[in-house]
Structures are given as C-alpha cells and as structure tokens.
Amino acid sequence: MTNKQMVLESAAYLQKILPAAPEIGLVLGSGLGPLAEELTDAARIPYEKIPHFKSSTAPDHAGQLVCGELAGRRVLCMQGRLHGYEGYAPDEIAYPVYVMKALGVRALILTNASGGINTAFSVGDFMLIEDHINMTGKSPLTGPNDSWLGTRFPDMTFAYAPSLREKADTAAQDCGLTLRHGVYCGVNGPQFETPAEIRMFRALGADAVGMSTVFEVIAAAHCGLPTAAIAMITNMAAGVLMQPLSGAEVNEIAARRGAAFRRLITTLVGKI
Ligand code: HPA
C-alpha cells in the first residue's frame, strides 16, 4: 500500500533532478507517447530509476517521466503507464498520481485508447470522459488508508472535474475538433471483451471501454487532484461491427489520429 514516506522519497528524488516544479500532470496512453517529444527543455527519467516506481512492460509504452514545457506550462508527462494486465496491483498503477500531487501538480490530464460502445461514435473520435464504471472489481485504495494521502471514503461525484471538462470542450472548439462525451468502462483485459459483455456495458450506461484510467482517477480523487480524461476511440468494441478486434488496429488508428489528439491535449494544457 502507498504511504506518505514512499511518496515523499519518490518526490524528493525527482525534485533534485527536475529543472522546475511541474504544474500539470499528463498520462499518455497507447500510441500517444509522441506528445512527450513535443515538450521543450525536457528532462527524461526512466521509471526504474525513481524510488518505488514500477517499470512498464506494455508495447509502445516508453516507461519514462518527461518533464518540460508545453503550451507555456511546466508539464510532468508519463510516457507510458502501467496496466493491470501486466500483473501490476491497482495501488502500483495509481502510485505516480500521488507523487505528482506531492510535487505540486495542480491538474491531471489522462489519455487512453478505448473501444467505442456507443453506436453513434466512429473510429477516430475523441471522447471526454464524464464518469466511469469500474468493472475491474478492484480499487487502488484497498488496504490500510494513510490519511496523509486522503480520506478513507473518497467522494467520486466530481472525480472528472467539471471546470477541466469545460476547458476541454473549449479546447476542442478552438481546434475545430468534435469532442464526444461519455461514460468510460474500465476493465482488466488483456483480452478484448466478448460481444455479450459489450451489450451488458451498454445497458449499464457505458459509451467506451478500456483497460486503464479508473485506478488513476480513483487515486486522484483520493488525494484531491482535479482530473480530466480524454479517450481516443481506436476501434468499435466487440460485436458492434461483427468483425474481429486487434491490437494492431488500435495502434494504427492511434497513430493516424495522433496529431489531432496531441493538438487537442496541448490546447487544453494551455488553458489550465
Ligand atoms: N476494449 C478494451 N480496451 C481497449 C479497446 C477495446 O475495445 N480498444 C482500445 N483499448
């Protein structure tokens, strides 16, 4: 379980290396890593060098923190995140969120690749996450609670901060991009869902499904870090189009829509 001492040790290590205190945290999902290359005056720190950080094994996830400037803001960027399907525990996946908070980050932006459940969506769409359904059956807060991190029973009503959601809508307008809104369903993976599972998630009110994000958002709510999350719909979820899904398709769409996504996130960062 995460505790104050671990977080302070990680933060102290990073404070010695980083050129300046970061203002905004950014987590880059599948295929979105190239945004980290756009940071100027960047310092790069591999996760394995940071005390208490786990390193990422997912393909195309670089596994490093990149700290630099983007849109006039000092940004701490996770180039690659950890997933439950890699074998990491929920608290390990969520851990960097607490370190960002300890470093003084005042807003967190999460990105991910998702399957579209809402049949009005198309591949390549962007969806602002308004809320989530955690179908993993797990929480990063299981176990003893260190009250220095946050309260035992955190409120999730405004976990996706309304003020940041407004800014995301404005950023999309400024970029001339359509930003869908919806509920994200978080699953463990690594297998994609069955068509019956997707029908169930739709009946429960989900618009998109993915294998990340929910643990990080729970940790951010726990430690009081305002958060926004935007999904890229890289494929329609299983059964929507009655064709097989593949990780290659996810990566291909993520690459094709990457430039527009990076523009959207950069514009959002400039508004925070
Ligand atoms: N399901 C789960 N995770 C995903 C998907 C999907 O269809 N696409 C991208 N990540």
Side-chain angles (χ1 to χ4, degrees):
M1 271 311 289
T2 303
N3 62 43
K4 175 181 179 181
Q5 192 189 338
M6 295 162 71
V7 172
L8 290 180
E9 282 169 10
S10 300
Y13 173 85
L14 289 168
Q15 271 157 346
K16 270 190 252 151
I17 300 179
L18 298 180
E23 302 168 277
I24 295 170
L26 191 52
V27 178
L28 301 177
S30 298
L32 304 166
L35 182 57
E37 314 304 336
E38 294 179 18
L39 270 55
T40 52
D41 294 328
R44 294 182 164 73
I45 307 124
Y47 295 155
E48 60 259 27
K49 290 208 169 157
I50 308 168
H52 310 296
F53 266 55
K54 304 280 174 193
S55 46
S56 162
T57 68
D60 305 320
H61 283 246
Q64 59 180 4
L65 282 186
V66 183
C67 191
E69 231 182 82
L70 187 72
R73 302 286 181 275
R74 290 187 305 278
V75 171
L76 185 63
C77 191
M78 286 189 73
Q79 195 176 21
R81 59 147 64 86
L82 307 178
H83 303 84
Y85 63 74
E86 296 174 85
Y88 296 110
D91 59 320
E92 294 173 335
I93 294 166
Y95 180 73
V97 171
Y98 295 104
V99 177
M100 289 192 197
K101 169 80 178 179
L103 288 171
V105 160
R106 57 183 165 80
L108 177 64
I109 303 173
L110 302 167
T111 64
N112 66 49
S114 297
I117 293 178
N118 186 326
T119 54
F121 291 178
S122 303
V123 168
D125 279 355
F126 303 130
M127 186 189 92
L128 179 65
I129 301 180
E130 294 191 312
D131 203 345
H132 77 219
I133 299 172
N134 177 7
M135 289 298 276
T136 68
K138 299 177 201 164
S139 167
L141 311 184
T142 302
N145 184 60
D146 183 336
S147 59
W148 181 81
L149 300 173
T151 180
R152 172 76 288 189
F153 301 110
D155 178 37
M156 293 294 289
T157 310
F158 301 111
Y160 297 85
S163 65
L164 293 178
R165 278 154 52 189
E166 239 173 70
K167 286 182 177 19
D169 279 327
T170 314
Q173 272 167 21
D174 289 0
C175 294
L177 293 166
T178 301
L179 186 58
R180 309 281 202 166
H181 288 194
V183 172
Y184 176 84
C185 179
V187 296
N188 281 311
Q191 75 287 350
F192 289 116
E193 302 68 39
T194 64
E197 286 166 346
I198 294 301
R199 288 194 299 275
M200 176 180 75
F201 297 159
R202 184 182 297 120
L204 294 177
D207 298 288
V209 59
M211 303 173 194
S212 67
T213 305
V214 291
F215 298 147
E216 292 134 328
V217 171
I218 292 168
H222 185 220
C223 68
L225 182 53
T227 298
I230 303 182
M232 182 197 288
I233 306 298
T234 51
N235 57 282
M236 294 314 290
V240 175
L241 300 177
M242 271 306 161
Q243 66 188 33
L245 271 50
S246 78
E249 180 197 9
V250 168
N251 291 336
E252 188 200 314
I253 299 298
R256 202 186 309 160
R257 291 290 283 155
F261 203 51
R262 294 197 290 275
R263 198 152 40 88
L264 174 60
I265 300 299
T266 304
T267 307
L268 172 57
V269 166
K271 290 185 184 297
I272 298 174

